[in-house]
Amino acid sequence: MARLSVDFFSAALMRTTTLDVILPVDNVGDAMGVDWQRRHDERAWDRRDYPGRRGPFKTLYLLHGITGNHTDLISETRIRALAEEHNLAVVMPSGYNAFYIDQPESHNYYGRFIGEELVDATRRMFPLSTKREDTFIGGVSMGAYGALRNGLKFCENFGSIVSLSTAMIVDGFEQIISDDLFFLSREFLTSTFGDLNQVVNSDKDPARLAADLVYCDRPRPRVFMACGNQDPLAQANRVLADKLRGIGLDVQYHELDGGHDWNLWNQALPQAIAWLPLG
């Protein structure tokens, strides 16, 4: 299992950005076999006996939460072990604090970056499957919102969506605005989402995106949602899951004991990986 850190210049962001990649291109068993063969019969050894090229790999694009970066999921979860167990490639970009949506005024097209450019770029770099049904997007908190928003908006690219503790705030800004946290301040939310009165029923609203893709008969991603029963966002997640089901999407919703933290996400992530069509 290889772990790589990649810097590349993004047209959507117009700057160099960094991502971590977990790639199951090797394993201990293969290395032990090569070593045994060379030690026991060096004369018959042929370098063509090394394990061949692997792939194409099913791929999960996994998005971090607010205040985080591309290293969060590696350092805080068992995603590397889970990827190795399931022979899954995982791509973890940096989304800064932008909720993975487009902000044209500053040329930060995070939605375009996540939903289109990142998929195309990593497929050119690595032996990843190009099939929609083998391509998944997921995240935690802000990243869960970004996964839902972009998984639905760019539904031709993603077959499944994993959304853990979705920061579903777009239909209740006035109820959450507070100066106690910068990311709940009116100034921050307006700079991120634009006119807060125009977000519901826009392409920043997952329910509207789901309704549009069903109406237009576009591909329908499967959705896995999980949330803690003590999470302040639990009710918003329940409502969203019901809305998506009512629109016609295949949604699994799980409520676990816990809050909005890594303990909860470490419970939910193995369940989500097991739910993906990896067989």
Side-chain angles (χ1 to χ4, degrees):
M1 179 66 66
R3 176 187 173 185
L4 307 95
S5 180
V6 178
D7 292 338
F8 81 102
F9 195 89
S10 163
L13 305 178
M14 286 306 292
R15 64 175 178 278
T16 299
T17 189
T18 302
L19 53 128
D20 270 9
V21 179
I22 298 171
L23 206 61
V25 293
D26 55 8
N27 63 46
V28 173
D30 286 344
M32 296 289 283
V34 168
D35 176 70
W36 185 93
Q37 187 175 0
R38 295 205 68 165
R39 286 188 292 106
H40 285 78
D41 193 358
E42 179 69 28
R43 289 174 301 175
W45 172 252
D46 189 314
R47 63 184 164 187
R48 288 172 296 183
D49 293 330
Y50 276 112
R53 177 183 173 91
R54 293 187 173 212
F57 298 109
K58 297 185 178 186
T59 308
L60 171 62
Y61 294 85
L62 192 56
L63 313 182
H64 66 78
I66 196 121
T67 73
N69 70 6
H70 60 282
T71 66
D72 278 14
L73 281 301
I74 285 280
S75 61
E76 300 291 347
T77 75
R78 294 182 55 251
I79 188 59
R80 182 168 181 168
L82 291 167
E84 186 167 17
E85 178 183 348
H86 293 280
N87 200 41
L88 175 69
V90 183
V91 177
M92 294 159 284
S94 275
Y96 308 93
N97 292 330
F99 275 80
Y100 303 97
I101 55 178
D102 296 330
Q103 297 160 356
E105 295 81 1
S106 53
H107 205 286
N108 288 316
Y109 290 92
Y110 289 102
R112 183 191 304 170
F113 170 66
I114 294 297
E116 293 182 330
E117 184 180 22
L118 184 64
V119 175
D120 291 341
T122 51
R123 284 174 175 174
R124 291 195 303 270
M125 295 177 195
F126 305 113
L128 307 181
S129 173
T130 59
K131 296 178 180 178
R132 173 183 176 271
E133 61 266 28
D134 293 344
T135 307
F136 323 120
I137 188 168
V140 300
S141 191
M142 179 188 78
Y145 165 81
L148 268 175
R149 188 268 181 180
N150 293 302
L152 295 171
K153 184 174 177 66
F154 301 98
C155 58
E156 285 81 7
N157 290 337
F158 302 104
S160 300
I161 300 170
V162 170
S163 183
L164 307 182
S165 307
T166 310
M168 186 58 190
I169 60 176
V170 299
D171 56 357
F173 286 122
E174 294 304 323
Q175 287 72 47
I176 65 163
I177 286 174
S178 168
D179 289 332
D180 292 339
L181 295 169
F182 81 90
F183 52 81
L184 296 181
S185 68
R186 186 178 298 275
E187 291 78 11
F188 173 80
L189 292 170
T190 300
S191 69
T192 302
F193 291 93
D195 184 346
L196 302 184
N197 295 315
Q198 301 297 319
V199 175
V200 173
N201 288 322
S202 75
D203 74 346
K204 299 167 188 173
D205 180 351
R208 170 59 186 269
L209 288 167
D212 285 349
L213 71 84
V214 169
Y215 179 80
C216 297
D217 198 25
R218 297 171 66 200
R220 303 184 189 186
R222 302 163 60 247
V223 179
F224 179 100
M225 296 179 65
C227 192
N229 56 13
Q230 300 170 49
D231 190 330
L233 293 168
Q235 180 60 19
N237 276 252
R238 295 179 198 122
V239 170
L240 179 60
D242 286 342
K243 281 184 180 179
L244 297 180
R245 286 196 197 101
I247 289 166
L249 268 60
D250 176 0
V251 179
Q252 281 199 27
Y253 177 76
H254 299 263
E255 201 155 293
L256 309 175
D257 288 334
H260 193 88
D261 53 36
W262 290 109
N263 290 330
L264 187 285
W265 300 327
N266 274 306
Q267 291 182 62
L269 189 57
Q271 298 179 30
I273 299 295
W275 169 85
L276 291 172
L278 299 175

